[in-house]
Amino acid sequence: MLKGDGLVFIRHEHRKGISSKTDQPYEFANVTMSDGLESFKINLDLAIVPTFNQFKKGDKINITV
């Protein structure tokens, strides 16, 4: 991911814990981006979560999938 003129970064979320309903561990991460008209979430591989700590809301970034 590079800063650039692509999508607008809104926020990222990383949650880890134990479910109160099932007592099973869980961990997930996603990033919310916008194309200027709509925002959408993209699920993240947990290995790249630290990369998103460098971005601030409103940064424009390019994502290669």
Side-chain angles (χ1 to χ4, degrees):
M1 282 150 293
L2 303 170
K3 287 192 177 186
D5 58 356
L7 299 170
V8 176
F9 176 81
I10 306 296
R11 70 180 151 273
H12 78 284
E13 179 180 21
H14 178 211
R15 303 274 182 192
K16 182 177 181 178
I18 298 180
S19 170
S20 60
K21 292 181 181 179
T22 65
D23 290 327
Q24 297 295 315
Y26 66 86
E27 186 172 16
F28 69 90
N30 59 53
V31 61
T32 302
M33 308 293 294
S34 174
D35 64 1
L37 297 175
E38 292 191 36
S39 61
F40 52 93
K41 284 186 180 181
I42 300 172
N43 293 329
L44 296 176
D45 182 301
L46 296 172
I48 67 168
V49 169
T51 303
F52 284 91
N53 291 329
Q54 67 183 332
F55 299 119
K56 297 180 192 91
K57 184 175 182 177
D59 283 350
K60 292 189 177 186
I61 62 175
N62 296 321
I63 295 181
T64 303
V65 181

